[in-house]
Amino acid sequence: MRRVRRLDLDGEVQADLNSRQATADLQQKDGTLDVEAEWKHARQTTSLVSVLGTLRRMMGDRQRCMYCLDSHGTDIEHFWPKKPYPERLFVWPNLLLCCTECGRFKGHDFPLSNGQPLLLDPTAENPWQHLDFDPPTGNIVAKFDSDRNDYSEKGSKTVKILHLDRREAMAAGYQKTFRRLVRMVEEALRQPSPSADSLITHFREADDHGLLGWCFLGSGQNEFPFRELRTKHPVVWDACLRALEL
Ligand SMILES: [Zn+2]
């Protein structure tokens, strides 16, 4: 996962979503709202095609799923599921880009704690505050929260719901990306004065899985070779941190 910056929708598209939501709210009030039918109908319109286009742009050239970052994002996903929460059916911040597999795993599973979701929303927070990467297996696991002396509850639920610690193909993808990032840092460390610009360019091209967030902000900063880059070349480290906007 990575922190995803949400783009603004085109003005007309946003106005259309607002109007659809207002209609849905009225129908919900008088008991005539058919969530599935409303969504299915809306999905055929140019507005929702544009919404999907904006979600894909948010994910760059490879247009990967916002949850797993491994498979192609094909569907518009309702973070708060549409059936129990029709008041968010056409609300832009509730819409994500998702692959078929993540959509299937999530289903209607959406646990709350004190009214707040326990599933991570990558457009609203930095996932690496709750998640950890395990290089030997390539799995994504819950992060240990030393303040609570327990694993992050949000991280644990997210891993469980999306099966992030038991998807072989996904783990292999994360490991491949991680090895590429490690090689880049090792190569930089072999030079007397590594170039931050060159590293940043290569990092951007290589980080399909959002692992730089783990390497620079998460537990990875304390592991080889990222720890060496941080301690031996702090200026390069800081330049990467600023430029990568993790
Ligand atoms: Zn996915």
Side-chain angles (χ1 to χ4, degrees), residues 65-72 98-103 167:
C65 166
M66 291 179 182
Y67 287 137
C68 68
L69 278 183
D70 194 58
S71 303
H72 191 64
C98 173
C99 74
T100 315
E101 205 173 14
C102 285
R167 286 164 70 171

Side-chain angles (χ1 to χ4, degrees), residues 8-25 42 45-48 50-51 54 89-93 95:
D8 287 332
L9 290 173
D10 172 84
E12 276 180 33
V13 173
Q14 181 63 67
D16 184 64
L17 285 194
N18 294 348
S19 143
R20 285 178 191 279
Q21 187 61 56
T23 305
D25 289 344
T45 63
T46 52
S47 286
L48 271 292
S50 171
V51 166
T54 304
L89 184 58
F90 295 108
V91 173
W92 173 228
L95 305 179

Side-chain angles (χ1 to χ4, degrees), residues 34 37-38 43 63 109 120 126 134 136 159 187 190 244:
D34 180 338
E38 272 308 308
R43 236 357 226 102
Q63 305 182 347
D109 207 357
L120 270 162
N126 179 2
D134 181 44
V159 167
E187 172 63 31
R190 277 195 284 274
L244 295 168

Side-chain angles (χ1 to χ4, degrees), residues 23-34:
T23 305
D25 289 344
L26 285 175
Q27 290 174 338
Q28 170 72 359
K29 227 174 176 177
D30 62 24
T32 58
L33 178 64
D34 180 338

Side-chain angles (χ1 to χ4, degrees), residues 169-232:
M170 192 189 109
Y174 272 82
Q175 277 181 314
K176 196 172 164 195
T177 294
F178 184 63
R179 282 196 294 268
R180 289 172 74 188
L181 298 175
V182 166
R183 277 199 300 273
M184 284 168 190
V185 176
E186 284 176 335
E187 172 63 31
L189 288 172
R190 277 195 284 274
Q191 295 161 23
S193 50
S195 150
D197 288 348
S198 162
L199 257 182
I200 291 160
T201 305
H202 289 116
F203 276 157
R204 283 197 177 122
E205 283 168 10
D207 189 21
D208 287 340
H209 293 86
L211 279 171
L212 287 169
W214 180 79
C215 300
F216 278 84
L217 301 173
S219 317
Q221 63 181 297
N222 297 317
E223 298 209 9
F224 177 84
F226 300 95
R227 179 187 55 224
E228 282 66 19
L229 185 68
R230 180 168 59 81
T231 52
K232 290 180 184 160

